[in-house]
Amino acid sequence: MSVDRLERVNALIKREIGESLFRIINEDSFDMAAVTVTHVVTSRNLRTARVLVSIRGTEEQKKQMLSLLHKHRPEIQRAINRDLTLKYTPKLHFDLDRSIQSGDHVLDILAHLDLPQNDDEQDAGEQT
C-alpha cells in the first residue's frame, strides 16, 4: 500500500475515533475535554492500528481513562467498520502519547535557563 494512501487511512481512522468517543463513551468518570487523539499508525496490511492519545490529568486519571478506552475498544472498532469502507477493519491498540508532556518539559527547562546577555543586547538596553 502506498504511503499516501496509508496516511489518508490514518487520518480517516483518527477522525472517526474522535467522533466515536463522543457517541460511545457516556460515563461520568470520562472527561472528553481531557482526551485528544494525537496519532494513528496503521500497519501496511490494515490489520492493526496503534492509536496514540494524549490525556490531561494526574497519572491515576490517565490510567483510568485509558482503561475506559480499552473497555470500549470493540464498540469503537464497530463504528469504524460501519462508517468507513476499508478492506479490513484494524484492531485498535490504545497507547498514551507522552510527546506533549515531553515538549512542555523542554519548554519549561528553556524558560528557566539563566543565559548571559550578549553585548549587543546590553548596548541596545543602555541606549533607550
Side-chain angles (χ1 to χ4, degrees):
M1 180 177 291
S2 72
V3 174
D4 290 338
R5 177 162 165 71
L6 200 55
E7 288 177 7
R8 287 195 311 262
V9 168
N10 288 338
L12 279 172
I13 292 173
K14 177 182 171 184
R15 186 185 71 209
E16 186 61 34
I17 290 171
E19 291 174 3
S20 296
L21 292 179
F22 287 108
R23 289 179 281 171
I24 294 172
I25 303 177
N26 296 322
E27 298 186 23
D28 293 334
S29 61
F30 193 77
D31 181 15
M32 286 302 304
V35 178
T36 303
V37 179
T38 57
H39 298 291
V40 174
V41 181
T42 307
S43 65
R44 294 182 67 79
N45 63 4
L46 297 177
R47 300 287 184 166
T48 61
R50 183 172 174 229
V51 181
L52 298 172
V53 292
S54 176
I55 302 173
R56 276 185 309 144
T58 64
E59 286 300 317
E60 183 62 33
Q61 290 171 330
K62 290 177 185 180
K63 287 179 186 177
Q64 181 183 15
M65 287 191 222
L66 200 57
S67 69
L68 283 172
L69 287 173
H70 286 290
K71 176 182 165 188
H72 292 284
R73 180 188 56 80
E75 298 168 57
I76 296 170
Q77 279 184 214
R78 278 193 293 275
I80 290 172
N81 186 33
R82 181 185 62 235
D83 296 338
L84 299 180
T85 305
L86 297 171
K87 186 173 184 178
Y88 303 107
T89 301
K91 182 174 181 181
L92 303 177
H93 300 280
F94 289 97
D95 290 323
L96 199 55
D97 185 5
R98 298 189 184 275
S99 63
I100 294 175
Q101 283 179 292
S102 299
D104 286 344
H105 181 67
V106 169
L107 289 174
D108 189 45
I109 290 171
L110 291 174
H112 290 92
L113 283 178
D114 290 329
L115 296 176
Q117 291 183 340
N118 60 20
D119 294 334
D120 294 337
E121 289 177 1
Q122 289 177 349
D123 292 340
E126 292 173 3
Q127 291 176 356
T128 55

